Amino acid sequence: MAVLTPYREAVEAVEEAGGEALKLCYQCGLCTGICPWNTVRSFLVRRMLHESQLGLVDFEAEDTWLCATCRACVDRCPREVPIIDVMRALRRTIVGLGVGYVPDSLRITMKNISALGNPLGEAREARAAWAEGLDVKPFASGTEFLYFPCCVQAYDPRGQKIARAMVGILKKAGMDFGILGAEQSCCGESVRKAGNESLCESLAQGNIHLFAENGVTKIITTSPHCYHTFKNEYPELGGNFEVIHYTQYLAGLIREGRLKFTKEINKRVTYHDPCYLGRHNGIYDEPRLILESIPGLELVEMPNSGQNSLCCGGGGGRIWMETKKGERFSDLRVDQAIEVGASVLATACPYCIANFDDSVLTSDKGEIIEVKDVAELVEQAI
Amino acid sequence: MARIGVFICHCGTNIAGTVNIPEVVEAAKKMPQVVYAEDNRFTCSEPGQASIREAIKEYQLNRVVIGACSPRMHESTFRRTLAEAGLNPYLLEMGNIREHCSWAHTDKGAATEKAIDLLKMAVARVAWHEPLFPRQTGLTKRALVIGGGIAGIQASLDIADAGYEVVLVEREPSIGGRMAQLDKTFPTLDCSACILTPRMTQVGQHPNIKLLSYSELDEVSGYVGNFKVKIRRKARYIDETKCTGCGECATVCPVEVESEFNEGLGKRKAAYIPFPQAVPNKYVIDKRGYPPCRVACPAGVNAQGYVALISQGKFKEALEVVRRTMPFPAVCGRVCNHPCELDCERGTVDEPIAIRALKRFIADYELKAGREKPTPPSRTKEEKVAIIGSGPAGLACAYDLVREGYPVTVFEALPQPGGLLRYGIPEYRLPQEVLDDEIKYIQEMGVEIRTNSPVKDLGQIFNQGYGAIFLGTGAPTSQKMGIPGEDAPGVRHALDFLRRVNAGEKVTVGDRVAVIGGGNAAIDASRVALRLGAKEVFIVYRRSRAEMPAQKTEIEEAEREGVKINLLAAPTKVLTRDGKLTGIECIRMELGEPDASGRRRPIPVKGSEFTMDVDNVIIAVGQALDKEALPKDLAYTAWGTLQVEQTTLQTNIDGVFAGGDAVSGPAGVIEAIAAGKEAAISIDRYLRGLDLAEGRPQALKKVEKVSKEGVETKPRKSMPLLDVGKRGGSLAEVELGFDEKTAIEEANRCLSCAVCSDCRECEKVCEAEAIYHERGEELIEEEVGAIIVASGVKPLDHTLFPEYGGGKYADVIGALQLERMMSAAGPTGGEVLRPSNGAHPKTVVFISCVGSRDERTGKDYCSRVCCMYMAKHAILLKEHDPETQSYIFYTDLRGPGGKMFEQFMWRAERKAGAIYLRGRISDVYQKDGRLMVSGEDQERNEPVEIAADLVVLATGLMPSDGAAELARTLNISYDVKNFMLEAHPKLRPVETNTDGIFLAGAAVAPFDIPECVAQGGGAAAKVLSLFGHDTITTEPTTAMVDALRCIGCLLCTQVCPFSAIDPELTRDGRTIAAINETLCKGCGLCVAACRPGAVNLRGFSDQQLLAEVKSLWQ
């Protein structure tokens, strides 16, 4: 039998990496029960915290990379342990010490971001290619808003549709906005969750510098991940901008009567709360207000909605990693949407869209349900 | 000249290890006025103290400085030493060279230097010390115990048995507290009630215990030994001294609400005791104000009262409740515009109670069964009252006055009494014989009605010996429209039309009839016209449907009968040909801005004229007073109504009052009745020479919060109606009324907003005549010398945890609910049943730490009793039904610290077969009729799910409601969780920081029963040790005022937290501040606030403090 000797160095490394909150954990196991992983496979969050307390985490295991940072556990933890921070600290320890297992796909993604400023390995100069032919003005001093589409929306053909739809809407709404092209980089959200703190910091510093140089004060984002990072993490590095998610902006226009829909969408739509919009930032009502305002549209709720939303599986860098078939939350979520009789599964996050599209495609349900960004529906109805 | 001795303590090595004692002694010897200095290994030891005593004698010391530990530790010890040596004990000063030097520093040189400085300060200060003399005050040897749970009971009994009086204040109707709710107690499985109730009885019978149940502490003043407390005795409505506890009041009480004692699982009456063994065995009536229905009724008819009685099948009694207020149950049950239903709280759940239909039901029930002739009230007054007009206002006024004992005569101009009820409302709504019977009842009560008796001259009436007059002459004439052709033949006025029909005259109508207007009269006229044979009837109304003043149901029925409504149209001209009416010309309207009535003003649309071909036009656009028929000299308002004083309804003529439509313009029957009743009050006061307006109008206090928890929706019973096909050509009543079963079912929907329905059935059966519905709360004062706070705990509400299905699923219950079900005296007679279907649960899951040990609820503490009661429940469940399987999900097991606890938990697991699983449940959801409980099984390291029949939430304990307010009232400390704070958590666990106030039981922290009993006894012992003295010694370190310096600004009175400073007049007439030394606690706030420096604190004078500070640089 092995003698249990807490591995102090590992504990200290984790604590130093921002995981000191794990001391608060009293091992009740509520997190395990709440974690969506346990609907598809076993993932003992509690045990991982206990192992961290003792410094006995198996850094070679895949488990360290499972957490999708959906925040369901943090919201319910009776000791208010920021479990996500602990998970991030574990990954940071692995990356920082250069020991242990890192999924290959994540390694490549990080390399791409580091070299090209985007996770997809596309050319830096092509970052504004999505806007070609749309007559979007480059951001200049005095422009009110910077529109910041995320990397997926800048490069991925499916994502680009959303960015283009967004431009259409913002123009109709009469918003004074511009975009920055090649110089801007990935916001760094998933980089940080993937444990690469220094890369995240350099991306953030670069962006902050770029924004400041161009006189940016207000940013509108289409991704909840960029929104979260700009709003909650950039201020730590001195980047203080007024950040809004597009659903907030559009909901505001609707409330003030400044955005009117002219076309009907006679469909039954359900809305999936992205973790980073909902649980992380408390934005639940705005997207629903937008959808409910579209004439003809019938909004239905899935069993897990609002605060109890079921993660798509794409947060915490998971979007860059392979998830085995049968273990994808997005499959369950698409089934939930179909069960409530929706013909459209709407959401407001590029990662959720990518995962749901994939689930619909692989399960061959394209005939029954389509996946749409709220922005796409709005564009269709105005 | 001071002769100061300095004594330095080594405190073993505590001080000597870090401070160079010989160096300090040498330095001390050189300090001013010091005549002697020495050091001691342990100054506090007997040899150390002896050495001080000897030195005082030998060197004639008159001041002493001791360099040792904190004065909190040994000041009192050394004061005694000084006293023993014949010195005043306050001529001592301590330099704290232990905590401040040796314990705080490691550098010996610096610590020594600091010790010398501290002693230098002490020496400088002590030179200014003066002898002080503690004061003695008397004490009241009587204790107040707050809270009648087991801790309070124990404390009360112990003090009372020692021969001292106890005032025991309990908020609930009975003592017993949480322990009374328990079935069995762990770990012995004693029957909780069996061991508790004998003690409760003892309290109830103890000659030294004054038990004030249903009471709360209101105010406390004074200080240890001499507290003055005010106690609020909540309104019980039953005289405790008379109540025999027979329970008849509860038997007849028609109102049932959820029983708090049974945690909402059973019902109790509005008149109740919480449980059969209650002490005192005295009932209370739970009355929470006036129900919204009664407040909404202009006449204040007690709707909740009669609805409650109907629900019990007490129809006759229900009718009595109506007639207690007014004499028209049958009339109002048919035609009232029921403001009560608009405000009915049930309406916020689903639909309002059909109050009007229920009232009609009881009236019809009597009419059918035949009623006994009422006994007319005795005539106790001489002055005659004349009522002019026999409509609802006049008759309501007459009814009230005749019941006050006045002889009343009603003068009616028309051949039959009833006013508008008789002549304005068609028979299909109000049959004549129904009205006849109500009027007959009024006559049988002694009201004289003279028909065919118009009154033109009020003077004549006064001359006939009437002392006062009420004018209830109504608004009987129709208003004109002022359009061309209005006087053409075939044009009629609604009131005239209806009167003639009701009087039995032969009235004919043409084939096509237009009725102008949107009020009740228009609807009535149109429906009567249909019944008289008109083929088509049109209502023409100038606004939209929303603005139609007629009752909604009436409009709907009219349309069902075939009346067509032409909205947003107004007639402009009546068209005639050859002197015969051929039609009307109308114009379309549109709605503009709201007018004075709040309704949107109709505006004609130019060029939109159109004509309607009709044979008859009935105008129903408003009613007015018949000024011609009214006596002269009356004053009118600008609207043409009678001018009266608003509150008293007195007209411009002395002794003449008016009300109803004559004053308000056309309004509802109930408004007229209300006016008649108000006028009756005025007339009574007028005739008795009292002030008319005093205390009026009397607003009824509406009940504040109505519980709708767990109310299941149930649709309102609809009124059965005569088939539309059968209505034509007949004036038969359209609404058919409820049958008995429907009425009872409908009445049972009532939420009993005010709890007590004020039906007064209890008064009838109480042989002891103990019931006083009007008696309010009472404030009493008691003088006590000590107070024990035993305010206890309550469990967190399990419905606050929807993640565990609390409040969402019926079969998720709180632990105390399970306890009540297990109790043989509980709501299920001792059977554990699933609330959803009454079945015995086979699988029961317990979830521990619900709400406790949880940062999210702010209750991060362990509730301490749950682990053990879950074990108890598992054992008992197995005893109740051997097939039950319990699962206990725990976070940590915290029980086994107590005596026999370990064995008890073992018994639960091994003997009762409870399965203990470690893991906090993440959620509970329903699947196929069972409750799915999911979490992590940490022993097996995998997620687990259990399908349960019953889920019990072991919710945490928290201080009783109002604990913080109680602590503030008592001026004692409490923590952020509202638990009371002990003076010292280890050494003074039952004392507070306020002298004379003690703590017992779970008000301090969650405790189990033996701990509460021990604490109750402990607190009692503290009180008794206080009462063992005849006087109380108080500290002499109080504030004093230099009368010459005081400028009388009295700023000090404002800052004093103990109200110990009052203004005083000096002999030369100046105002100065004076300190009440008994109240002063010596806090020094006044000293800091005093601008001229007139206030000083004994033992802490400015000179003493300044000398101390100055010594540092001298």
Side-chain angles (χ1 to χ4, degrees):
Chain A
M1 199 201 291
V3 177
L4 178 79
T5 322
Y7 181 23
R8 273 318 309 167
E9 288 76 6
V11 179
E12 276 161 24
V14 173
E15 284 177 4
E16 221 164 89
E20 71 270 77
L22 66 87
K23 285 180 183 163
L24 297 172
C25 170
Y26 66 21
Q27 291 288 298
C28 71
L30 187 133
C31 45
T32 306
I34 218 84
C35 178
W37 274 109
N38 288 297
T39 56
V40 294
R41 57 157 283 179
S42 164
F43 176 43
L44 302 172
V45 184
R46 177 211 40 92
R47 190 167 76 172
M48 186 167 266
L49 287 166
H50 192 49
E51 287 168 348
S52 309
Q53 286 173 332
L54 297 169
L56 299 175
V57 182
D58 180 2
F59 287 143
E60 294 297 337
E62 180 198 18
D63 283 21
T64 330
W65 298 99
L66 286 183
C67 175
T69 66
C70 77
R71 210 175 190 277
C73 54
V74 179
D75 272 9
R76 289 277 304 280
C77 174
R79 299 285 290 168
E80 298 182 332
V81 178
I83 299 167
I84 296 174
D85 293 0
V86 177
M87 293 293 176
R88 200 179 70 196
L90 287 174
R91 295 175 183 181
R92 203 176 150 184
T93 311
I94 293 174
V95 172
L97 298 176
V99 295
Y101 163 80
V102 180
D104 287 342
S105 55
L106 192 63
R107 229 185 261 278
I108 295 163
T109 307
M110 292 305 125
K111 207 176 270 176
N112 286 339
I113 296 177
S114 171
L116 304 162
N118 73 79
L120 303 162
E122 300 284 344
R124 197 175 263 285
E125 308 78 61
R127 191 166 186 109
W130 64 272
E132 263 164 40
L134 288 180
D135 189 26
V136 185
K137 69 173 180 180
F139 188 93
S141 185
T143 309
E144 194 184 358
F145 276 95
L146 167 69
Y147 170 49
F148 190 97
C150 94
C151 301
V152 175
Q153 289 159 341
Y155 294 107
D156 174 67
R158 172 71 180 92
Q160 284 180 345
K161 280 195 212 163
I162 298 163
R164 293 173 72 91
M166 204 59 232
V167 165
I169 299 167
L170 297 181
K171 279 193 168 177
K172 276 207 183 139
M175 186 199 239
D176 176 26
F177 71 99
I179 57 170
L180 287 168
E183 292 139 277
Q184 73 187 22
S185 299
C186 168
C187 67
E189 190 274 325
S190 64
V191 176
R192 194 166 193 209
K193 302 290 168 5
N196 202 333
E197 200 78 23
S198 60
L199 174 56
C200 173
E201 202 175 311
S202 83
L203 291 168
Q205 299 280 19
N207 280 335
I208 292 169
H209 183 71
L210 177 73
F211 296 165
E213 208 171 45
N214 284 280
V216 173
T217 56
K218 295 178 181 177
I219 309 173
I220 181 165
T221 75
T222 22
S223 168
H225 294 267
C226 308
Y227 171 77
H228 176 79
T229 316
F230 292 161
K231 185 165 194 281
N232 305 319
E233 297 183 347
Y234 277 27
E236 289 169 29
L237 299 167
N240 290 299
F241 307 100
E242 195 181 306
V243 192
I244 58 167
H245 188 256
Y246 81 88
T247 52
Q248 294 176 300
Y249 179 71
L250 296 185
L253 291 183
I254 290 171
R255 283 196 196 106
E256 290 160 22
R258 287 163 55 203
L259 182 70
K260 292 251 162 64
F261 296 106
T262 54
K263 290 173 208 138
E264 287 188 4
I265 297 181
N266 290 307
K267 282 181 179 159
R268 194 168 226 239
V269 178
T270 190
Y271 173 71
H272 161 82
D273 291 274
C275 303
Y276 277 75
L277 203 55
R279 274 188 295 268
H280 279 272
N281 287 295
I283 300 169
Y284 298 108
D285 298 338
E286 287 86 344
R288 290 183 168 79
L289 173 77
I290 297 169
L291 293 173
E292 278 170 344
S293 309
I294 296 176
L297 188 149
E298 183 198 354
L299 182 65
V300 288
E301 293 289 353
M302 289 179 278
N304 293 87
S305 71
Q307 261 185 301
N308 295 320
S309 179
L310 173 65
C311 172
C312 77
R318 292 287 318 164
I319 191 74
W320 317 123
M321 297 178 236
E322 182 56 34
T323 305
K324 268 184 255 164
K325 194 149 172 45
E327 291 187 1
R328 296 173 189 163
F329 313 157
S330 50
D331 290 355
L332 302 179
R333 196 57 162 163
V334 167
D335 287 345
Q336 279 193 350
I338 292 171
E339 265 163 44
V340 296
S343 60
V344 176
L345 170 56
T347 187
C349 167
Y351 297 170
C352 299
I353 297 262
N355 275 340
F356 293 149
D357 270 344
D358 197 44
S359 288
V360 169
L361 202 67
T362 51
S363 59
D364 204 17
K365 284 173 181 152
E367 301 273 296
I368 319 172
I369 195 153
E370 50 180 342
V371 178
K372 291 272 184 196
D373 196 287
V374 171
E376 292 177 294
L377 293 170
V378 169
E379 198 213 14
Q380 220 178 305
I382 53 174
Chain B
M1 179 65 187
R3 294 180 62 79
I4 302 171
V6 180
F7 301 85
I8 317 291
C9 182
H10 292 233
C11 197
T13 56
N14 269 323
I15 299 172
T18 324
V19 175
N20 185 337
I21 304 281
E23 199 182 321
V24 176
V25 174
E26 282 316 303
K29 283 182 179 158
K30 297 189 188 103
M31 289 175 194
Q33 310 190 58
V34 171
V35 293
Y36 177 72
E38 68 165 41
D39 57 322
N40 259 302
R41 247 173 90 72
F42 288 106
T43 313
C44 61
S45 68
E46 184 40 42
Q49 292 189 51
S51 163
I52 296 175
R53 286 197 296 267
E54 280 158 26
I56 290 172
K57 290 216 174 79
E58 193 175 340
Y59 300 98
Q60 292 129 47
L61 303 179
N62 56 17
R63 299 284 192 282
V64 172
V65 166
I66 296 174
C69 51
S70 160
R72 284 184 71 98
M73 189 78 197
H74 275 309
E75 191 173 51
S76 53
T77 313
F78 295 125
R79 276 184 180 164
R80 273 198 305 273
T81 314
L82 262 66
E84 281 160 16
L87 267 185
N88 183 287
Y90 291 89
L91 298 172
L92 166 78
E93 181 65 18
M94 287 185 75
N96 184 356
I97 61 170
R98 190 177 72 174
E99 281 87 333
H100 289 174
C101 299
S102 62
W103 284 2
H105 306 293
T106 47
D107 179 341
K108 198 164 179 175
T112 305
E113 206 177 311
K114 185 173 173 187
I116 293 168
D117 275 347
L118 285 173
L119 289 170
K120 204 157 84 179
M121 289 164 74
V123 165
R125 187 185 203 278
V126 83
W128 290 96
H129 278 210
E130 280 171 9
L132 298 176
F133 302 94
R135 277 167 308 101
Q136 307 288 317
T137 55
L139 78 159
T140 313
K141 296 187 181 181
R142 220 168 160 249
L144 170 73
V145 176
I146 301 163
I150 185 62
I153 287 174
Q154 186 63 45
S156 301
L157 286 174
D158 286 351
I159 298 169
D161 283 344
Y164 299 105
E165 261 182 70
V166 175
V167 180
L168 173 57
V169 174
E170 167 59 50
R171 173 157 67 181
E172 299 299 325
S174 169
I175 58 169
R178 292 290 161 208
M179 189 177 168
Q181 288 182 285
L182 307 181
D183 174 37
K184 300 264 165 33
T185 59
F186 61 77
T188 47
L189 294 185
D190 284 303
C191 157
S192 186
C194 309
I195 57 176
L196 174 68
T197 48
R199 299 218 167 180
M200 288 166 58
T201 315
Q202 230 180 315
V203 168
Q205 292 170 349
H206 207 296
N208 280 344
I209 299 179
K210 182 172 180 182
L211 172 57
L212 303 176
S213 68
Y214 217 46
S215 304
E216 283 181 271
L217 185 72
D218 191 64
E219 206 183 296
V220 175
S221 60
Y223 53 96
V224 53
N226 298 280
F227 291 109
K228 271 205 178 76
V229 295
K230 278 196 188 135
I231 296 158
R232 183 176 303 277
R233 307 222 59 198
K234 295 190 277 188
R236 206 176 183 115
Y237 305 105
I238 292 183
D239 191 315
E240 263 183 291
T241 56
K242 291 185 181 172
C243 176
T244 61
C246 71
E248 279 302 310
C249 50
T251 311
V252 299
C253 178
V255 177
E256 276 193 338
V257 291
E258 277 188 0
S259 155
E260 297 86 350
F261 187 77
N262 283 329
E263 295 291 317
L265 286 176
K267 299 275 184 194
R268 65 156 170 86
K269 295 294 187 71
Y272 76 108
I273 48 171
F275 52 102
Q277 308 97 316
V279 172
N281 185 19
K282 310 282 179 188
Y283 280 72
V284 297
I285 296 178
D286 184 356
K287 204 188 268 284
R288 303 188 187 168
Y290 286 91
C293 49
R294 188 171 182 180
V295 176
C297 179
V301 178
N302 182 9
Q304 194 201 323
Y306 64 79
V307 171
L309 289 168
I310 293 171
S311 76
Q312 302 298 307
K314 293 186 170 180
F315 308 135
K316 187 167 157 261
E317 292 80 358
L319 198 56
E320 271 174 37
V321 171
V322 182
R323 289 202 174 122
R324 219 171 272 156
T325 311
M326 60 91 176
F328 290 114
V331 168
C332 287
R334 286 173 165 79
V335 302
C336 183
N337 50 12
H338 52 73
C340 50
E341 292 184 20
L342 299 180
D343 278 14
C344 175
E345 277 288 321
R346 179 86 205 193
T348 63
V349 178
D350 39 39
E351 294 168 280
I353 306 290
I355 302 176
R356 184 175 86 176
L358 287 175
K359 180 156 52 207
R360 170 179 165 169
F361 167 75
I362 44 175
D364 286 1
Y365 186 84
E366 184 193 67
L367 204 58
K368 222 179 282 167
R371 65 168 164 78
E372 287 162 31
K373 203 174 156 190
T375 324
S378 49
R379 214 155 265 185
T380 52
K381 312 262 174 30
E382 290 291 313
E383 300 87 343
K384 294 195 292 178
V385 181
I387 310 280
I388 301 171
S390 68
L395 291 182
C397 183
Y399 180 71
D400 277 7
L401 286 169
V402 85
R403 289 190 300 161
E404 283 294 328
Y406 290 98
V408 182
T409 308
V410 179
F411 296 87
E412 170 58 53
L414 292 172
Q416 278 188 293
L420 207 69
L421 300 176
R422 170 80 59 192
Y423 295 109
I425 300 176
E427 279 221 64
Y428 68 85
R429 282 218 283 149
L430 176 58
Q432 300 265 344
E433 63 270 20
V434 171
L435 177 63
D436 287 342
D437 188 66
E438 304 247 276
I439 294 176
K440 192 168 154 221
Y441 179 86
I442 295 166
Q443 286 171 314
E444 284 168 357
M445 287 290 283
V447 174
E448 185 200 349
I449 303 179
R450 293 188 197 163
T451 50
N452 293 315
S453 308
V455 174
K456 289 291 280 181
D457 186 352
L458 296 178
Q460 232 173 8
I461 298 287
F462 283 124
N463 288 341
Q464 285 171 35
Y466 289 95
I469 297 173
F470 174 71
L471 290 173
T473 46
T477 57
S478 291
Q479 269 177 357
K480 297 203 161 191
M481 288 193 297
I483 57 168
E486 198 173 350
D487 297 325
V491 177
R492 291 164 182 177
H493 287 274
L495 276 189
D496 183 53
F497 173 68
L498 292 171
R499 182 179 58 75
R500 287 171 50 198
V501 175
N502 276 8
E505 290 177 31
K506 179 126 185 75
V507 183
T508 53
V509 292
D511 283 347
R512 291 165 60 85
V513 179
V515 179
I516 319 295
N520 279 325
I523 301 287
D524 286 346
S526 64
R527 293 177 72 185
V528 169
L530 272 184
R531 283 165 172 74
L532 293 183
K535 297 230 163 51
E536 281 185 284
V537 177
F538 307 91
I539 283 178
V540 178
Y541 181 56
R542 56 194 184 133
R543 303 186 208 231
S544 72
R545 185 177 290 263
E547 284 85 14
M548 286 180 82
Q551 287 180 25
K552 225 178 117 223
T553 49
E554 292 294 309
I555 301 172
E556 284 165 12
E557 282 312 307
E559 288 191 297
R560 284 183 60 197
E561 289 169 8
V563 173
K564 296 187 182 66
I565 301 178
N566 199 341
L567 296 165
L568 291 167
T572 46
K573 200 189 285 177
V574 177
L575 306 172
T576 51
R577 195 189 305 139
D578 310 329
K580 239 185 96 185
L581 194 150
T582 58
I584 46 173
E585 185 193 270
C586 299
I587 187 163
R588 280 273 157 237
M589 311 291 271
E590 60 183 10
L591 293 180
E593 293 303 304
D595 64 9
S597 73
R599 297 181 299 177
R600 293 175 66 189
R601 187 193 304 275
I603 303 162
V605 180
K606 261 189 198 148
S608 67
E609 288 84 356
F610 63 99
T611 58
M612 296 173 73
D613 297 338
V614 292
D615 311 319
N616 276 130
V617 175
I618 301 175
I619 299 169
V621 295
Q623 297 156 25
L625 278 63
D626 184 2
K627 284 194 195 173
E628 301 286 302
L630 278 167
K632 289 190 292 279
D633 305 328
L634 286 164
Y636 292 88
T637 65
W639 295 274
T641 54
L642 285 176
Q643 189 174 336
V644 294
E645 205 288 312
Q646 243 185 340
T647 316
T648 63
L649 302 181
Q650 187 164 30
T651 64
N652 60 317
I653 303 172
D654 188 45
V656 178
F657 301 82
D661 284 0
V663 169
S664 60
V669 173
I670 196 67
E671 282 84 3
I673 291 171
K677 288 178 68 65
E678 277 307 321
I681 296 171
S682 295
I683 290 171
D684 174 48
R685 290 192 186 192
Y686 175 79
L687 293 175
R688 285 158 61 196
L690 303 175
D691 186 285
L692 294 185
E694 199 190 321
R696 297 169 75 188
Q698 200 193 357
L700 300 182
K701 196 173 165 285
K702 186 148 105 182
V703 56
E704 275 166 20
K705 217 179 125 228
V706 179
S707 165
K708 285 162 220 158
E709 215 176 291
V711 177
E712 282 170 33
T713 57
K714 211 181 202 177
R716 166 186 165 114
K717 298 281 175 197
S718 51
M719 172 61 75
L721 300 172
L722 188 67
D723 282 349
V724 177
K726 291 186 187 156
R727 296 184 196 173
S730 139
L731 286 171
E733 197 167 12
V734 169
E735 295 192 349
L736 301 175
F738 284 166
D739 59 21
E740 209 172 309
K741 188 167 154 276
T742 313
I744 291 175
E745 278 177 29
E746 179 63 16
N748 270 307
R749 291 178 64 235
C750 175
L751 297 177
S752 303
C753 298
V755 185
C756 169
S757 72
D758 203 25
C759 73
R760 310 286 173 113
E761 284 300 295
C762 48
E763 275 180 356
K764 292 187 199 163
V765 296
C766 182
E767 281 181 23
E769 296 184 357
I771 295 171
Y772 295 86
H773 278 280
E774 262 83 29
R775 194 183 274 182
E777 62 175 30
E778 199 187 348
L779 264 185
I780 62 165
E781 258 191 52
E782 295 284 351
E783 289 187 7
V784 294
I787 299 173
I788 294 178
V789 184
S791 49
V793 279
K794 65 166 195 175
L796 262 88
D797 180 359
H798 75 281
T799 63
L800 297 175
F801 301 92
E803 62 268 38
Y804 293 148
K808 216 157 85 181
Y809 309 127
D811 294 333
V812 177
I813 60 172
L816 209 44
Q817 290 184 306
L818 179 63
E819 202 78 54
R820 289 313 302 148
M821 279 204 270
M822 284 178 162
S823 166
T828 53
E831 280 199 78
V832 178
L833 304 173
R834 299 179 71 191
S836 67
N837 61 5
H840 285 268
K842 296 295 172 205
T843 307
V844 180
V845 173
F846 290 86
I847 304 179
S848 74
C849 303
V850 176
S852 47
R853 306 185 65 204
D854 191 342
E855 300 281 350
R856 294 180 317 140
T857 58
K859 292 168 183 46
D860 57 359
Y861 53 86
C862 168
S863 290
R864 223 157 163 249
V865 291
C866 322
C867 286
M868 290 307 292
Y869 74 57
M870 287 192 297
K872 174 184 76 177
H873 287 159
I875 294 170
L876 293 174
L877 280 170
K878 202 73 178 173
E879 280 178 12
H880 279 244
D881 181 353
E883 282 172 43
T884 314
Q885 175 63 54
S886 300
Y887 293 86
I888 297 176
F889 277 95
Y890 64 96
T891 309
D892 290 295
L893 285 177
R894 291 284 168 84
K899 192 173 179 180
M900 293 300 285
F901 283 13
E902 175 69 27
Q903 296 91 323
F904 188 70
M905 208 170 281
W906 184 86
R907 183 173 160 189
E909 196 173 359
R910 305 293 152 80
K911 293 241 174 102
I915 296 175
Y916 278 81
L917 293 164
R918 185 172 202 277
R920 203 168 176 120
I921 292 304
S922 55
D923 58 341
V924 175
Y925 62 95
Q926 214 164 20
K927 197 169 139 188
D928 307 327
R930 301 192 84 189
L931 294 162
M932 305 303 293
V933 185
S934 66
E936 183 193 359
D937 170 9
Q938 296 182 12
E939 265 94 26
R940 291 190 309 135
N941 262 328
E942 62 181 47
V944 63
E945 208 159 64
I946 290 176
D949 302 317
L950 188 69
V951 173
V952 182
L953 305 186
T955 48
L957 298 180
M958 60 185 286
S960 299
D961 294 333
E965 291 77 11
L966 176 65
R968 283 199 293 270
T969 306
L970 288 163
N971 203 8
I972 59 174
S973 311
Y974 56 101
D975 66 19
V976 288
K977 276 109 193 168
N978 292 350
F979 284 113
M980 307 294 172
L981 272 184
E982 318 90 311
H984 189 286
K986 298 256 176 287
L987 299 175
R988 299 174 70 195
V990 296
E991 289 156 84
T992 66
N993 275 325
T994 306
D995 291 345
I997 302 184
F998 305 95
L999 302 170
V1004 178
F1007 290 130
D1008 69 3
I1009 293 166
E1011 287 168 328
C1012 288
V1013 172
Q1015 291 213 338
K1022 290 286 168 192
V1023 171
L1024 293 177
S1025 86
L1026 183 70
F1027 289 177
H1029 302 272
D1030 290 327
T1031 55
I1032 291 174
T1033 307
T1034 56
E1035 280 290 311
T1037 47
T1038 53
M1040 55 187 177
V1041 177
D1042 181 342
L1044 291 175
R1045 275 194 173 181
C1046 178
I1047 55 169
C1049 73
L1050 299 179
L1051 192 61
C1052 50
T1053 61
Q1054 290 165 36
V1055 299
C1056 177
F1058 306 101
S1059 310
I1061 312 177
D1062 294 308
E1064 193 181 76
L1065 221 55
T1066 59
R1067 256 184 270 167
D1068 55 350
R1070 286 184 308 126
T1071 299
I1072 59 161
I1075 312 281
N1076 180 338
E1077 289 181 5
T1078 1
L1079 294 180
C1080 176
K1081 295 256 186 293
C1083 72
L1085 279 179
C1086 52
V1087 181
C1090 182
R1091 286 174 290 197
V1095 193
N1096 249 313
L1097 199 58
R1098 291 188 182 89
F1100 297 87
S1101 68
D1102 291 354
Q1103 287 158 326
Q1104 285 169 310
L1105 301 183
L1106 289 172
E1108 207 174 353
V1109 177
K1110 274 185 197 159
S1111 71
L1112 282 175
W1113 67 81
Q1114 270 168 356

